[in-house]
Amino acid sequence: MPQATVHLLRHGEVHNPDGVLYGRLPEFHLSERGREMARMLADHFVARANEGAKIVHLAASPLTRAQETAMPTSEALNLEIHTEPRIIEAENHFQGLHPTKSEFLKPKHWPYFRNPMRPSWGEPYKEQAARVLAAVEDARLKAIDLGGDGAEAILVSHQLPIWATRLTAEGRRLAHDPRKRECTLTSLTSLVFDDDGKIVRVDYSEPAAVLLPGAASTPGA
């Protein structure tokens, strides 16, 4: 039995009719589809708990969309939502803008494209992965303290920090094409640890896949 599992849950669909890159902007709430996604994830975790899974710790990014995604699971499993600032969305120069080609080509933005490998337009991938992995380690220890061997924790976060963390855990290069991230809305990127606290594998699943067709997902959100 693995010592612990920490699930990185991406938030659900956001109500964003203007299609802006919302980043860390406050008060971006889940859409009705997003709320249904969150309820479906709660049902998924309840089913797993009924099968014997020891899900004992729940934390979420301080951003509204993450907190709202965590709420149904909190209520279903009677778990307090702990706010974890280390799993917040990445900083991004383009926050609040429409992510279109015409916007990105404006001369005032050109300096921010000088190093896409880092990336130069926002928080470095390495820093994102480092802060999320630190939060994951604390969540792993908390889960073990509460539930013993095999305990599980859930951290509700955002696409890019989750993806940077997965790439790091799998020993892959951090520079990537954002269009090729495997991290859909309300997907689970699950880090499985052994008795020595080492990540032995990364599992990926989409419990709310039935709701993905037609869902809006602003690039990088």
Side-chain angles (χ1 to χ4, degrees), residues 3-190:
Q3 186 188 48
T5 299
V6 178
H7 304 283
L8 296 176
L9 166 60
R10 187 185 172 195
H11 62 80
E13 183 190 61
V14 173
H15 179 66
N16 183 19
D18 294 329
V20 302
L21 183 62
Y22 36 79
R24 293 183 177 182
L25 294 175
E27 299 307 315
F28 272 85
H29 297 268
L30 295 182
S31 65
E32 179 53 44
R33 187 197 300 261
R35 290 191 289 272
E36 180 59 27
M37 287 176 167
R39 290 190 289 268
M40 188 170 289
L41 264 292
D43 291 342
H44 168 77
F45 288 124
V46 167
R48 293 198 64 256
N50 290 338
E51 294 172 353
K54 295 187 290 185
I55 304 171
V56 296
H57 180 63
L58 174 64
S61 154
L63 296 176
T64 302
R65 59 192 185 270
Q67 294 281 324
E68 290 180 348
T69 299
M71 186 60 69
T73 296
S74 169
E75 295 172 347
L77 296 181
N78 194 29
L79 292 174
E80 177 185 355
I81 301 173
H82 299 271
T83 298
E84 174 51 83
R86 291 174 294 181
I87 59 175
I88 197 170
E89 178 63 283
E91 293 180 345
N92 193 319
H93 163 75
F94 299 109
Q95 175 179 294
L97 302 178
H98 292 84
T100 62
K101 184 177 181 180
S102 61
E103 178 63 49
F104 291 156
L105 289 177
K106 292 180 179 178
K108 65 180 181 179
H109 299 313
W110 293 355
Y112 295 96
F113 291 108
R114 66 185 181 275
N115 184 3
M117 308 292 281
R118 188 175 182 261
S120 51
W121 56 78
E123 182 183 10
Y125 297 134
K126 286 184 178 180
E127 292 181 12
Q128 294 178 52
R131 61 176 168 82
V132 174
L133 284 169
V136 164
E137 175 62 10
D138 286 350
R140 178 185 74 86
L141 295 174
K142 181 68 172 180
I144 294 169
D145 182 57
L146 293 172
D149 282 348
E152 303 180 20
I154 303 166
L155 301 183
V156 187
S157 186
H158 308 268
Q159 187 191 69
L160 181 50
I162 292 174
W163 186 242
T165 300
R166 176 176 172 180
L167 292 176
T168 299
E170 294 179 337
R172 297 157 63 185
R173 64 194 299 266
L174 292 174
H176 64 278
D177 182 342
R179 297 168 297 181
K180 297 182 179 180
R181 295 172 189 159
E182 187 180 39
C183 188
T184 62
L185 294 166
T186 52
S187 61
L188 291 173
T189 299
S190 304

